Amino acid sequence: MAAKTTASTQSTKSYDGFTEDEREAMKERAKELKAAKGRSARGKAADGEADLLAKVAEMTDEDRVLAEGIHALVKKVAPDLTAKTWYGMPAYARDGKVVFFFQSAAKFKARYATLGFNDAASLDDGDMWPTAFALTTLTPEVEARIEALIKKATA
């Protein structure tokens, strides 16, 4: 006797391609674009940093410490970059293009935070190179590596 497959034995969950967290990040990006549209060039930089710091303040303690540390390193190593939010996460841009960003672990319920670099970063090294780095704590060694990455990305 062949087993019957019924609707009750099949999965009723559907997958539309994006998680709830990803949809929320896209909504945040839409809000960021709408807010930036109405700002002057001078106001964009100041408001962008204020937006970034507000998002950092909302983070869990572990993520906030990392984001604040990265922000301090950026101010020290590459003060010419524009601080802003990008998909609700801290990001740093040059000429309107995001060079790199911080993604908190809690945002997407991940095991670790991520420091990611976009194609505007000058990290090219042969035919293959990393563009994202897992981050769990800021030690002096990790800070030195991040400083070097920021310098290379903005060269």
Side-chain angles (χ1 to χ4, degrees):
M1 182 163 134
K4 287 187 184 178
T5 303
T6 65
S8 63
T9 61
Q10 294 175 350
S11 174
T12 57
K13 283 189 172 185
S14 68
Y15 178 71
D16 66 2
F18 295 104
T19 67
E20 183 61 35
D21 293 329
E22 290 167 332
R23 283 192 293 276
E24 185 60 35
M26 289 185 282
K27 289 176 188 175
E28 295 229 26
R29 182 66 183 136
K31 283 189 243 174
E32 292 162 1
L33 291 170
K34 190 179 278 188
K37 190 175 183 180
R39 296 177 178 165
S40 67
R42 182 180 296 261
K44 281 183 184 180
D47 291 343
E49 184 166 19
D51 293 345
L52 179 147
L53 294 173
K55 285 296 181 187
V56 169
E58 294 173 3
M59 293 178 182
T60 63
D61 291 343
E62 297 83 10
D63 288 332
R64 186 174 55 255
V65 167
L66 295 172
E68 288 172 345
I70 289 169
H71 188 66
L73 290 172
V74 172
K75 299 292 268 182
K76 174 182 161 188
V77 176
D80 59 315
L81 293 179
T82 303
K84 60 188 284 177
T85 57
W86 190 57
Y87 294 94
M89 292 284 104
Y92 301 89
R94 175 180 284 146
D95 300 327
K97 294 182 179 180
V98 172
V99 178
F100 63 95
F101 58 92
F102 173 80
Q103 184 176 323
S104 70
K107 176 81 172 180
F108 295 103
K109 299 167 190 74
R111 189 172 58 134
Y112 47 78
T114 305
L115 181 62
F117 293 83
N118 286 341
D119 56 354
S122 302
L123 295 182
D124 304 39
D125 183 17
D127 292 328
M128 187 172 121
W129 57 89
T131 59
F133 298 84
L135 187 59
T136 58
T137 188
L138 285 179
T139 64
E141 294 81 16
V142 170
E143 287 181 358
R145 286 184 66 194
I146 292 172
E147 279 188 32
L149 285 167
I150 292 171
K151 286 177 184 176
K152 185 172 183 179
T154 58

